[in-house]
């Protein structure tokens, strides 16, 4: 019962954080509000949560990264693949070496292997944190896609580096051959397991639906089970469960493009996953806040590991590590983008340099989050001889502090850096949208014509089919005519469409109010009310997303 109460309390905190963020007179970053509420819960209520990193990764990180892989724009992922790979793998190694030596130099009491392990766990950025910041900061969409793509892929490289740093601390030896082999299996094996398992599950699901019909609830449940299943399977085979979950999400996006699921399944599944994303993201930050008071309470004990007595030295270390991480990221981003621009210029492509401020945005956008917290918690308690693992509590405190500093720096610094920045031009999708809508309307008219010919041959209600088909086709022909006009007329047509959208929303609200009035006066049964209101709601959801 206590576990259930804690879960409900955390979910309630997520709801309250959303209310506070929307009601506050100033713009408050939602993750920081949630961390503050978590700390408040820990300081006012007498309970302790022993955070199991493996369970944490399975329950929270796997489904959220699965969803990010599902919804991330694939065109941007493949278009900027070299930039993303340079950040996801090259930057991780650069950070481990650079930050590792710096931490050991700054804190000699921390062995070099432990310093490398701390740098490795700090190297991955957090997709959840990036998405949370992107929701409130006017960052170019292309840069957001690069940061999200990086955070999806750099988890494996960071965790592998940490694994070998810990092994070196335990055994005193390190093998580059073993490290390379293990990394390849983690990356390739995890990706292959995620792809294969998801394709198998979808194939079985589609066959069952084709043979026996589709049941919406089971379809949604299967999509919820997939990230957990592939993660557990990959971890059981000593591959990367994180990459398996990401790969599974990417496969799901291509499965969705087949259009085999019913419309009602897609609508309800999207709503369920939106709720999972909102709750999961929030609970992660509330849980982080709940852990902070206990970590800070041990600061007096931890500071003695550094050879100092004043606890303020820990704050100095956290700020120094955060600055070094940002500087390394800035240097790597500037160098790698320069090489990519040089390579493009040799191919005859002229690309404009993004400027130092946009590179600074890329640097601050590398926010640390839940994966760093979960990773540092996996540090062993003891060495092979049974003695305490050196500087473990210090590493946990420094990692937790760096997470908070990176969140504050990103939420405060990014809006400031984006002021007055001349953004690189982004490719417009308006023409693609117009072409797609035009082709879809033409396909709809062709399908109506085929159905009318079939009805005419059968001779069953042919006149009624013609009347209904003519009415529907007229709507599609109007769409084709609007989107086939000249640019000046097209802009006018879009303005008319926007006005029509607003008027439709007014009309739909009036419809729903009247239906509810009928229900309150007993003129409609509950079943009829739900059915009719659902029809209105579905129409409104269409116009709300335009």
């Amino acid at each position: 019962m206590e576990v259930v109460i804690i879960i409900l309390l955390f979910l309630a905190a997520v709801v309250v954080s959303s209310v506070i963020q929307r009601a506050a007179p100033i713009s408050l970053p939602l993750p920081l509000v949630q961390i503050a509420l978590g700390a408040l819960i820990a300081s006012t209520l007498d309970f302790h949560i022993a955070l199991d990193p493996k369970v944490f990764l399975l329950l929270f990180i796997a489904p959220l990264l699965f969803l990010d892989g599902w919804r991330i724009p694939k065109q941007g992922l493949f278009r900027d693949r070299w930039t993303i790979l340079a950040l996801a793998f090259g930057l991780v190694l650069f950070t481990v070496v650079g930050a590792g030596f710096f931490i050991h130099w700054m804190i000699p009491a921390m062995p070099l292997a432990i310093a490398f392990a701390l740098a490795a766990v700090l190297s991955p950025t957090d997709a959840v944190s990036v998405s949370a910041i992107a929701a409130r900061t006017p960052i170019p969409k292309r840069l957001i896609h690069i940061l999200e793509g990086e955070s999806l892929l750099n988890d494996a490289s960071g965790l592998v580096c940490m694994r070998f740093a810990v092994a070196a601390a335990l055994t005193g030896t390190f093998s580059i051959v073993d490290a390379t082999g293990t990394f390849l299996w983690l990356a390739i094996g995890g990706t292959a397991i995620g792809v294969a398992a998801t394709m198998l599950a979808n194939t079985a699901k589609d066959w069952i639906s084709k043979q026996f019909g589709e049941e919406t609830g089971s379809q949604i449940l299967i999509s919820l089970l997939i990230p957990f299943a592939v993660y557990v399977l990959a971890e059981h085979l000593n591959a990367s469960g994180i990459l398996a979950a990401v790969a599974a999400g990417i496969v799901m996006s291509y499965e969705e493009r087949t259009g085999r699921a019913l419309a009602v399944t897609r609508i309800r599944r999207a709503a369920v996953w939106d709720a999972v994303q909102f709750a999961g993201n929030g609970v992660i930050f509330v849980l982080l806040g709940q852990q902070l008071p206990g970590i800070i309470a041990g600061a007096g004990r931890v500071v003695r590991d550094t050879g100092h007595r004043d606890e303020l030295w820990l704050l100095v270390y956290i700020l120094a590590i955060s600055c070094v991480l940002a500087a390394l990221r800035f240097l790597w981003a500037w160098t790698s983008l320069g090489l990519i621009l040089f390579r493009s210029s040799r191919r005859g492509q002229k690309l404009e340099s993004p400027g130092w401020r946009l590179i600074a945005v890329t640097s601050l956008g590398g926010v640390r989050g839940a994966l760093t917290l979960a990773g540092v918690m996996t540090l062993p308690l003891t060495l092979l001889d049974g003695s305490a693992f050196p500087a473990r509590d210090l590493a946990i405190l420094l990692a937790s502090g760096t997470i908070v500093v990176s969140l504050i720096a990103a939420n405060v610094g990014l809006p400031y850096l984006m002021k007055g920045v001349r953004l690189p031009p982004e490719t417009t999708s308006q023409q693609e949208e117009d072409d797609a809508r035009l082709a879809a309307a033409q396909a709809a008219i062709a399908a109506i014509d085929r159905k009318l010919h079939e009805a005419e041959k059968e001779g069953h209600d042919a006149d009624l089919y013609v009347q209904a088909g003519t009415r529907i086709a007229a709507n599609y022909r109007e769409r084709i005519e609007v989107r086939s006009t000249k640019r000046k007329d097209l802009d006018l047509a879009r303005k008319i469409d926007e006005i029509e959208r607003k008027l439709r929303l007014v009309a739909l609200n009036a419809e729903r109010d009247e239906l509810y009035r009928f229900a309150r006066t007993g003129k409609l049964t509950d079943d009829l009310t739900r059915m009719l209101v659902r029809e209105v709601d579905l129409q409104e959801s269409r116009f709300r997303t335009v």
Side-chain angles (χ1 to χ4, degrees):
M1 180 61 72
E2 182 180 357
V3 174
V4 174
I5 292 174
I6 291 173
I7 292 173
L8 294 177
L9 183 62
F10 277 25
L11 291 175
V14 173
V15 175
V16 171
S17 69
S18 177
V19 175
I20 293 174
Q21 194 250 357
R22 285 181 280 118
I26 61 174
S27 178
L28 292 175
L30 185 59
L32 293 182
V33 175
Q34 291 163 344
I35 290 174
L37 283 176
L40 180 64
I41 291 173
S43 59
T44 55
L45 300 180
D46 185 21
F47 67 86
H48 175 70
I49 297 177
L51 183 62
D52 187 336
K54 294 182 180 179
V55 175
F56 181 80
L57 289 172
L58 172 63
L59 292 182
F60 293 101
I61 304 301
L64 292 175
L65 290 184
F66 170 80
L67 185 61
D68 284 333
W70 190 345
R71 291 181 173 178
I72 190 172
K74 306 304 177 294
Q75 295 84 356
L77 194 64
F78 292 120
R79 177 191 59 203
D80 297 313
R81 58 189 179 276
W82 297 117
T83 304
I84 292 172
L85 290 174
L87 293 171
F89 297 104
L91 177 57
V92 167
L93 296 176
F94 184 59
T95 300
V96 170
V97 175
F101 278 114
F102 173 79
I103 293 171
H104 177 64
W105 169 81
M106 183 175 63
I107 312 174
M110 179 177 286
L112 184 59
I114 310 302
F116 280 143
L118 177 58
V121 83
L122 289 172
S123 59
T125 52
D126 187 66
V128 175
S129 302
V130 171
S131 300
I133 292 172
R136 59 178 295 274
T137 305
I139 301 175
K141 289 183 179 179
R142 185 169 182 176
L143 179 55
I144 286 295
H145 296 157
I146 290 173
L147 294 175
E148 289 176 341
E150 174 202 1
S151 62
L152 288 176
L153 299 178
N154 63 10
D155 303 328
S157 53
L159 293 178
V160 168
C161 290
M162 189 198 75
R163 175 182 296 188
F164 283 100
V166 171
L170 293 173
T171 63
T173 60
F174 175 76
S175 172
I176 188 65
V177 176
D178 291 342
T180 303
T182 302
F183 174 76
L184 290 176
W185 169 243
L186 282 169
I188 299 174
T191 303
I193 290 169
V195 170
T198 308
M199 291 180 67
L200 181 62
N202 282 321
T203 301
K205 169 181 67 68
D206 292 339
W207 183 84
I208 292 173
S209 297
K210 185 177 180 181
Q211 296 296 320
F212 309 109
E214 181 175 314
E215 204 283 315
T216 298
S218 64
Q219 297 278 321
I220 297 173
L221 188 56
I222 288 171
S223 73
L224 291 171
L225 290 174
I226 285 176
F228 301 108
V230 298
Y231 183 91
V232 171
L233 180 59
E235 290 293 322
H236 180 71
L237 297 175
N238 295 319
S240 172
I242 294 293
L243 282 182
V246 172
I250 293 175
V251 171
M252 282 297 293
S253 69
Y254 287 104
E255 161 68 17
E256 192 171 41
R257 289 185 182 183
T258 62
R260 283 192 283 262
L262 295 176
V264 65
T265 297
R266 289 192 295 273
I267 292 172
R268 292 179 180 176
R269 186 171 61 191
V272 168
W273 273 105
D274 284 343
V276 169
Q277 185 179 39
F278 176 75
N281 287 349
V283 169
I284 284 175
F285 290 111
V286 173
L287 186 57
L288 172 58
Q290 192 275 335
Q291 297 287 307
L292 282 180
I295 295 172
I296 295 173
R301 181 185 71 257
V302 169
V303 75
R304 287 192 291 273
D305 294 339
T306 68
H308 297 283
R309 292 186 177 276
D310 193 343
E311 296 176 2
L312 287 177
W313 276 101
L314 293 176
L315 180 59
V316 173
Y317 292 151
I318 290 170
L319 292 176
I321 291 172
S322 300
C323 291
V324 167
L325 291 174
L328 291 173
R329 187 174 175 85
F330 182 93
L331 181 61
W332 182 268
W334 179 75
T335 305
S336 60
L337 284 176
L339 292 175
I340 291 172
L341 291 172
F342 175 74
R343 182 182 175 187
S344 300
S345 64
R346 293 192 63 180
R347 292 181 175 180
Q349 301 175 355
K350 292 184 178 180
L351 299 178
E352 185 179 353
S353 176
W356 74 267
R357 291 182 72 180
L358 204 56
I359 295 177
V361 170
T362 305
S363 178
L364 276 182
V367 184
R368 275 69 189 179
L371 189 73
T372 293
L373 180 65
V376 77
M377 289 291 186
T378 62
L379 291 175
L381 295 173
T382 61
L383 296 174
L384 296 179
D385 59 3
S387 60
F389 193 82
R392 182 180 187 272
D393 291 340
L394 176 60
I396 293 175
L397 180 61
L398 294 177
S400 302
T402 303
I403 292 171
V404 176
V405 170
S406 69
L407 281 169
I408 294 174
N411 281 280
V412 174
L414 287 178
Y416 173 77
L417 283 173
M418 291 306 300
K419 286 182 179 179
V421 173
R422 183 171 172 267
L423 301 178
E426 296 189 21
T427 56
T428 178
S429 60
Q430 187 60 59
Q431 187 59 46
E432 295 177 8
E433 178 185 340
D434 290 340
D435 293 342
R437 289 183 182 274
L438 188 64
Q442 291 169 341
I445 292 174
I448 292 171
D449 289 339
R450 287 194 300 271
K451 190 64 179 178
L452 291 179
H453 287 309
E454 292 175 8
E456 186 177 358
K457 289 180 181 178
E458 294 174 359
H460 181 66
D461 293 333
D463 292 340
L464 296 179
Y465 269 94
V466 170
Q467 292 179 27
T470 302
R471 210 163 47 238
I472 297 172
N475 184 27
Y476 283 110
R477 289 194 175 93
E478 182 182 353
R479 293 190 198 177
I480 294 173
E481 182 180 355
V482 167
R483 297 188 183 278
S484 301
T485 55
K486 296 180 180 179
R487 174 60 55 186
K488 182 178 179 180
D489 295 332
L490 186 59
D491 292 338
L492 178 61
R494 289 200 182 108
K495 289 182 181 179
I496 295 175
D497 283 346
E498 176 62 19
I499 294 173
E500 181 182 345
R501 184 185 73 86
K502 293 178 180 179
L503 292 176
R504 283 184 181 274
L505 289 174
V506 170
L508 289 170
N509 283 329
E511 275 192 66
R512 185 168 40 243
D513 291 343
E514 188 65 13
L515 290 173
Y516 279 133
R517 190 181 70 80
F518 266 52
R520 288 193 298 269
T521 57
K523 295 180 181 179
L524 271 181
T525 64
D526 288 345
D527 290 340
L528 275 176
T529 301
R530 278 191 290 268
M531 182 191 72
L532 294 174
V533 169
R534 174 174 169 76
E535 291 179 2
V536 175
D537 289 344
L538 289 174
Q539 292 184 64
E540 181 175 338
S541 66
R542 171 196 169 192
F543 292 108
R544 286 287 181 192
T545 56
V546 171

